[in-house]
Amino acid sequence: MPAAKIAKKNPRAIAEAIVAELQDDPLFAEVSIAGPGFINLKVTSQMLSAHLIELAESENKLVANTGQGQMAIVDYGGPNTAKPMHVGHLRASIIGESIKRTLKLIGYDTKGDIHLGDWGTHMGMVISEFEIRHPEWPYFDKSKKDGFPEEPPITIQDLETLYPQASQASKSDEDRMAISRAATAELQKKQPGYYALWQHCFNVSVAAMKNNFAALDVYFELWLGESNAQDYIPDMVTRLQEKGDAIEDQGAIVIHVQREDDKKEYPPLILYKRDGSVMYGTTDLATIVQRMDDFSPAKIIYVVDQRQHLHFEQVFRAARISGIAPETTELTHAGFGTMNGEDGKPFKTRAGGVMKLEDLIKMGIEKATQRLDEANIGQDYSAEERADIAHKVAIAAIKFADLQNSRTADYVFDLDRLTSFEGKTGPYLLYQTVRIKSLLKKAAAQNVESKKLSALHLAEFETQLGLTLAEFPNVVELAAKNYTPHVLADYTYRVSQAFSSFYGNCHILNEDDEDIKQTRLYLCAMTLDVLERGLDLLGIPTPERM
RNA sequence: GCACCCGUAGCUCAGUGGAUAGAGCACUGGUUUCCGGAGCCAGGUGUCGCAGGUUCGAUUCCUGCCGGGUGCGCCA
């Protein structure tokens, strides 16, 4: 049809010419024209059979190596130290994790960087709050330069209750805010006592985060943050000023990023505020300097809330203008939509607060445990295995419910949906993998191991399943190109459905015809492989049984 | 005011110029002496926000309008 447009010919005529060309191609069992010029191709079962065997035996599942070992940095997660992780961190973590895993499969050397918010005003609020409450602590003795206690004076629970109070106090009282700002400035100068206390807050927060992320099966190669980029700032700004890219404007040092042909207004990126302190744009730009120095990445992907899009455009423009990031390094803000409540506003609990990520996971686990009990499953399993299953089911439910939404759109937080186990859900996908594992174990017990085959016997349901399995590399490439995990989520569901349909209609172990039986076993093993790989790209681990 | 995102079935969402616009939930019926019923099969639902335009063809691209959300120099 598009060819007709280019050639300015009747699409039907072009279709006929193409069909004539393909008619005798041995790949196709049937070539026909439909409607205004659609060409329907039906591959032969020999061709499909050969292709499926190739796919099954391919180590990389026929996914093209587009990355060629180049470095891709995925910046995601981005929690702040001293603040509890809430459900809002869910998307940033799991979308980023999936994008990173997908880029790895297409051949990139990937590094996930958590990019902690550990150097901002919120840390000044917390530290000054401690000083107000515990002025006797050694950290607040301005004459003391070293020898601070090694044991943290605080726990994560202390931080979680203290931060909201410190924040509230600062926001509602100008004088209190001035104290927070002053503490922030002192901290950023690495005043010894403050810095030692900051280090404790950092360590305690990071330990708690690691638990949260491990529960979600999210892992970072780099635990860097704003504080790590600070050392790059002074030289960077000096260089930019010498080059004339950064100039003084209204008392601040800024980079203008507006272009002649822009339709809208782009505010300049502020490097130093009037009072001489830095902003997060400064840190983000310095972080690019650091990343270029350390890794010369081909891509830096930021998985951050869509609302920060303008900010990233400013940073990216500044990075190009200054030459900090060469044109060969792709800078992309893969933004995601906000999690809204039923009222269309950013999600809040009924009490008006935020729901902690831990609590959401706990609810999912409770529901999964209850399900195990009700269905009389796993009475004979060990307590450890039951706990592991409940955890995996809960994580699958939560992550899949989120990841199946397209990245950019806002979506409605629905607790029932996030902890639902039926229909288009994570647990449904796990269930399919578990059924296959169980079946393959039975086959092994009956000494009917599936073998390497040279040809498959493909009837209706086998073909349907096989065609779906064959889509794997295309789906991976699409998800990688657009940074859209939801196409993978949708695909794993379609594979599961195709398998379930096949399974419901075809007997396997008690099939008499040996060729058919072997083909079906082969497809089962292949489905399991494709499903588990797809789920792995989504960051969803599967249990052995459930 | 300007810019960006969104508007698709009762609800939650897919749908990157193609055929009769699809899933899940909810609702109804069927399905288990047989490999795991968290399953399978069947049933029907649409002014694709509205109005124009481009195109052989528009849910998709363009323009305008309506409705919702978000962002817009010294917070992150």
Side-chain angles (χ1 to χ4, degrees):
Chain A
M1 228 66 84
K5 184 165 267 178
I6 297 162
K8 292 196 172 126
K9 282 186 185 162
N10 183 340
R12 185 95 196 173
I14 293 189
E16 273 162 17
I18 294 172
V19 167
E21 198 68 30
L22 298 178
Q23 199 62 256
D24 301 320
D25 194 310
L27 290 180
F28 305 114
E30 195 184 310
V31 183
S32 59
I33 304 176
F38 297 108
I39 301 169
N40 288 327
L41 302 172
K42 203 166 175 183
V43 297
T44 61
S45 62
Q46 288 87 340
M47 186 272 181
L48 180 59
S49 162
H51 182 70
L52 288 174
I53 289 169
E54 193 190 349
L55 177 65
E57 291 178 359
S58 159
E59 202 165 305
N60 224 26
K61 295 287 140 232
L62 301 179
V63 172
N65 180 6
T66 47
Q68 302 282 345
Q70 296 180 93
M71 177 63 71
I73 294 176
V74 184
D75 180 320
Y76 65 106
N80 287 344
T81 50
K83 295 192 198 178
M85 284 181 67
H86 54 83
V87 291
H89 291 107
L90 184 69
R91 303 211 81 193
S93 315
I94 68 182
I95 292 172
E97 179 75 15
S98 178
I99 289 173
K100 182 181 76 181
R101 292 181 184 210
T102 307
L103 288 175
K104 178 139 192 131
L105 185 60
I106 67 162
Y108 282 92
D109 182 4
T110 53
K111 295 227 181 280
D113 182 356
I114 188 169
H115 201 66
L116 293 162
D118 59 358
W119 206 239
T121 311
H122 69 288
M123 291 311 300
M125 290 177 182
V126 166
I127 286 173
S128 56
E129 189 68 21
F130 278 125
E131 183 159 18
I132 290 165
R133 296 182 187 202
H134 308 282
E136 74 286 1
W137 282 5
Y139 309 98
F140 307 122
D141 176 355
K142 302 288 186 277
S143 62
K144 193 171 165 63
K145 299 288 177 225
D146 49 26
F148 296 101
E150 281 179 26
E151 281 301 305
I154 43 147
T155 64
I156 186 64
Q157 286 77 20
D158 296 336
L159 280 175
E160 287 180 0
T161 52
L162 187 106
Y163 169 73
Q165 292 166 6
S167 169
Q168 187 54 42
S170 296
K171 279 176 191 159
S172 59
D173 177 359
E174 269 303 309
D175 295 342
R176 176 66 188 83
M177 183 56 115
I179 295 170
S180 291
R181 288 220 177 88
T184 308
E186 281 298 297
L187 170 67
Q188 294 188 350
K189 282 184 222 154
K190 299 198 180 174
Q191 193 255 94
Y194 281 7
Y195 190 70
L197 181 56
W198 173 86
Q199 194 69 56
H200 282 309
C201 292
F202 180 92
N203 292 340
V204 163
S205 286
V206 164
M209 282 175 198
K210 286 194 173 172
N211 287 334
N212 270 299
F213 284 118
L216 283 173
D217 243 62
V218 168
Y219 304 96
F220 299 95
E221 286 72 23
L222 301 171
W223 281 79
L224 298 175
E226 295 168 344
S227 61
N228 300 92
Q230 298 312 310
D231 293 345
Y232 291 81
I233 291 174
D235 282 355
M236 174 182 83
V237 177
T238 305
R239 265 202 333 270
L240 294 180
Q241 282 182 293
E242 283 168 0
K243 277 181 64 197
D245 293 330
I247 58 168
E248 193 182 321
D249 185 349
Q250 297 174 33
I253 306 295
V254 306
I255 300 182
H256 285 286
V257 297
Q258 185 85 28
R259 290 183 195 136
E260 291 276 323
D261 54 346
D262 282 333
K263 293 222 167 65
K264 67 169 175 180
E265 208 177 314
Y266 283 84
L269 188 76
I270 295 174
L271 297 176
Y272 282 124
K273 295 193 279 187
R274 258 194 293 272
D275 68 5
S277 53
V278 300
M279 295 186 60
Y280 78 135
T282 324
T283 303
D284 281 348
L285 197 60
T287 300
I288 298 178
V289 174
Q290 182 181 21
R291 287 173 178 164
M292 293 311 303
D293 276 5
D294 293 349
F295 305 110
S296 310
K299 289 173 184 281
I300 306 177
I301 313 299
Y302 296 81
V303 182
V304 182
D305 193 313
Q306 192 73 264
R307 285 176 292 190
Q308 296 198 30
H309 194 70
L310 177 60
H311 164 74
F312 282 108
E313 278 189 280
Q314 290 175 268
V315 172
F316 296 166
R317 284 183 174 206
R320 299 292 186 210
I321 290 167
S322 59
I324 286 171
E327 292 298 330
T328 49
T329 296
E330 174 194 329
L331 300 171
T332 297
H333 173 221
F336 54 85
T338 45
M339 196 185 250
N340 290 334
E342 280 166 37
D343 56 358
K345 306 260 171 64
F347 175 73
K348 293 256 165 33
T349 58
R350 282 206 190 85
V354 289
M355 182 181 286
K356 282 169 68 179
L357 193 50
E358 264 184 85
D359 294 338
L360 174 66
I361 296 171
K362 210 174 287 170
M363 280 186 261
I365 291 174
E366 275 166 22
K367 215 167 149 186
T369 307
Q370 195 186 336
R371 183 55 176 268
L372 283 172
D373 293 341
E374 279 170 9
N376 275 334
I377 298 169
Q379 306 290 27
D380 54 330
Y381 299 179
S382 69
E384 286 85 2
E385 188 178 358
R386 281 174 65 87
D388 180 62
I389 292 167
H391 186 255
K392 282 178 172 149
V393 168
I395 292 305
I398 292 168
K399 292 181 85 166
F400 190 82
D402 188 301
L403 288 172
Q404 68 175 297
N405 295 297
S406 57
R407 170 169 57 75
T408 51
D410 294 348
Y411 84 106
V412 176
F413 177 87
D414 180 348
L415 187 59
D416 289 337
R417 188 169 175 235
L418 287 171
T419 56
S420 170
F421 304 154
E422 276 147 38
K424 190 174 180 179
T425 63
Y428 170 85
L429 302 180
L430 299 190
Y431 181 68
Q432 302 309 329
T433 65
V434 162
R435 281 213 294 199
I436 300 172
K437 285 178 188 174
S438 164
L439 186 125
L440 292 177
K441 267 181 221 150
K442 273 203 173 106
Q446 293 171 21
N447 288 318
V448 280
E449 292 282 1
S450 69
K451 310 175 197 151
K452 271 199 160 191
L453 299 182
S454 55
L456 303 179
H457 192 284
L458 302 169
E460 186 191 350
F461 293 103
E462 290 89 337
T463 302
Q464 217 45 55
L465 176 58
L467 287 171
T468 309
L469 293 173
E471 286 179 52
F472 182 77
N474 306 351
V475 170
V476 170
E477 281 154 29
L478 186 62
K481 181 173 143 234
N482 297 334
Y483 311 114
T484 47
H486 83 278
V487 309
L488 279 164
D490 191 64
Y491 175 69
T492 53
Y493 180 67
R494 286 192 294 115
V495 170
S496 293
Q497 271 187 318
F499 175 77
S500 211
S501 186
F502 158 79
Y503 182 87
N505 285 285
C506 302
H507 288 283
I508 299 163
L509 294 178
N510 46 12
E511 170 59 46
D512 294 331
D513 185 307
E514 192 59 24
D515 280 352
I516 295 177
K517 187 189 208 171
Q518 280 301 328
T519 288
R520 288 178 179 170
L521 273 174
Y522 194 88
L523 286 173
C524 285
M526 198 175 163
T527 303
L528 179 62
D529 187 18
V530 167
L531 260 183
E532 285 201 306
R533 277 173 184 258
L535 286 167
D536 181 61
L537 291 178
L538 295 171
I540 298 176
T542 60
E544 283 308 298
R545 49 187 187 174
M546 63 191 272

